[in-house]
Amino acid sequence: MGRTADYSRQSCSVAGALEVIGDPWTMLVIRDAFNGVTRFEQWQERLGVARNVLAARLKMLVQHGVLEQRLYSERPPRNEYVLTAKGKDLYGVLITLHAWGEKHVYHDQPSGIRLRHRSCGHDLIPRIACGCCNEIVRPREVEIVVDTNRPTVGDMLSEEDAA
């Protein structure tokens, strides 16, 4: 798929996530899936990506359990792609990536896409909160604890493939 990075020897969750969703076009495919796109032709039209690249991304996302195929036509056989629970867990990543792009690419100028929080009616400003105490977490409040005997990304993904 044109990738130059190999994270398989890393022992890091970030590297593991990048192994699954870090290649070009993948997050845009996932973004569109959250916006209701389910069919190959819809993605191809919206993204303008080459058909072979899109096919490879969809295949990889299915292999990793981020999307699942569902048959929507038997004659001719046609599949649609829907987010799995694993795929839906990328929602926070997508929202914070959007906020980062607004701040650091568009420099807080309007990008033309706003995320409005329906409950309060204001534009969404995502924050990271602890799932146990609900406190907003800042980078200096996080301690990294490293286990000495930890599996590599390659170990974990090969186990996933075997399952």
Side-chain angles (χ1 to χ4, degrees):
M1 281 196 267
R3 295 184 63 189
T4 58
D6 177 6
Y7 305 113
S8 64
R9 299 168 122 200
Q10 298 270 332
S11 292
C12 171
S13 297
V14 174
L18 289 174
E19 187 70 25
V20 176
I21 63 167
D23 58 19
W25 296 109
T26 299
M27 284 305 292
L28 298 179
V29 168
I30 293 167
R31 174 203 64 191
D32 286 354
F34 274 107
N35 289 318
V37 174
T38 61
R39 297 188 180 170
F40 185 95
E41 296 300 329
Q42 293 171 308
W43 271 297
Q44 213 282 317
E45 182 179 312
R46 288 173 67 127
L47 297 175
V49 60
R51 296 178 70 80
N52 64 320
V53 172
L54 178 57
R57 295 312 181 272
L58 291 171
K59 180 180 178 181
M60 184 270 308
L61 288 167
V62 169
Q63 286 173 339
H64 285 292
V66 174
L67 295 174
E68 70 179 13
Q69 288 182 311
R70 292 188 186 157
L71 190 66
Y72 74 86
S73 171
E74 290 187 20
R75 292 192 132 179
R78 296 274 190 256
N79 289 307
E80 62 182 3
Y81 299 84
V82 295
L83 289 163
T84 63
K86 188 176 186 178
K88 290 176 184 176
D89 280 347
L90 288 166
Y91 180 72
V93 174
L94 194 61
I95 294 299
T96 53
L97 195 57
H98 169 82
W100 188 91
E102 288 286 311
K103 182 176 182 178
H104 296 290
V105 175
Y106 283 87
H107 307 288
D108 293 320
Q109 298 297 313
S111 69
I113 299 174
R114 294 175 25 222
L115 304 178
R116 183 173 295 132
H117 184 212
R118 286 187 180 151
S119 294
C120 72
H122 290 91
D123 287 351
L124 178 66
I125 301 171
R127 303 211 188 281
I128 306 298
C130 176
C132 293
C133 69
N134 291 322
E135 279 188 32
I136 300 297
V137 179
R138 289 165 185 78
R140 293 180 187 246
E141 298 172 339
V142 176
E143 176 184 4
I144 297 174
V145 180
V146 179
D147 293 330
T148 56
N149 187 20
R150 54 196 179 154
T152 66
V153 170
D155 294 336
M156 298 308 295
L157 292 178
S158 66
E159 285 180 21
E160 185 179 276
D161 290 341

